[in-house]
Amino acid sequence: MKVTELINIDSKYNFEAPLLSAKTRQKLKQSKLSEQELIDLNNILLQNPKDTFIVRVGGDSMIDKNIFDGDLLIVDSKRNAINGDVVIASMNNEMTVKTFKLMDGKAYLIAANERFLPMEISEFYQFQIHGVVRHVVRSL
């Protein structure tokens, strides 16, 4: 899966919405909306706004982690990747989305699709982890 677009974040605006119960028989009344708790999605999605970026991805190598072509990934650039994290990384200047794995003293980027082989990170690659994926945003 490749990164197809980098998107800058402007966190100076709040994105608030009411948090409503999802009970199946509840009727939505306008008076109830004003009594509901407001949720600011910036507080949930952007824990460190200055260290966060968004990428749009393309491909199908991460489908078993429920990351699909066209999804937006919210990435923390200051979080250190640990074994098992989904990361945005570059190998030889090509950005990719994979799971970072340490096995037998070696580092790998692993796809979440059995059609793709693991990529061992060797000294022969220009390699960098740009951040750890924190959230996936998808349109229905």
Side-chain angles (χ1 to χ4, degrees):
M1 177 164 278
K2 295 181 181 182
V3 172
T4 61
E5 182 181 6
L6 269 163
I7 302 167
N8 292 323
I9 295 175
D10 185 353
S11 63
K12 65 182 174 186
Y13 301 106
N14 290 347
F15 177 55
E16 292 182 340
L19 177 64
L20 302 174
S21 172
K23 294 179 183 176
T24 56
R25 296 191 184 261
Q26 181 181 14
K27 292 183 180 178
L28 185 62
K29 296 180 182 175
Q30 188 62 33
S31 62
K32 289 266 188 182
L33 278 177
S34 62
E35 301 168 10
Q36 297 298 318
E37 176 185 3
L38 287 177
I39 299 293
D40 183 353
L41 290 178
N42 284 342
N43 291 336
I44 294 170
L45 299 176
L46 308 176
Q47 286 133 353
N48 301 307
K50 292 179 183 175
D51 301 324
T52 302
F53 63 95
I54 299 173
V55 297
R56 184 179 310 276
V57 295
D60 62 355
S61 69
M62 295 300 288
I63 60 174
D64 291 338
K65 289 268 188 184
N66 293 315
I67 300 173
F68 299 98
D69 187 68
D71 283 352
L72 296 173
L73 306 181
I74 299 174
V75 183
D76 185 337
S77 67
K78 293 296 182 190
R79 183 165 175 218
N80 290 326
I82 59 172
N83 194 34
D85 279 344
V86 175
V87 299
I88 302 297
S90 59
M91 290 185 72
N92 295 335
N93 297 316
E94 185 174 317
M95 291 183 80
T96 186
V97 181
K98 298 287 185 282
T99 301
F100 177 70
K101 285 279 192 179
L102 298 170
M103 297 182 288
D104 300 323
K106 296 179 181 178
Y108 295 87
L109 291 178
I110 309 287
N113 181 333
E114 63 185 24
R115 294 186 311 125
F116 296 86
L117 296 173
M119 295 182 289
E120 182 181 345
I121 302 164
S122 74
E123 61 192 49
F124 303 108
Y125 290 112
Q126 291 178 328
F127 175 77
Q128 181 181 359
I129 293 177
H130 299 281
V132 175
V133 176
R134 302 294 291 160
H135 303 281
V136 178
V137 179
R138 173 178 312 114
S139 295
L140 298 177

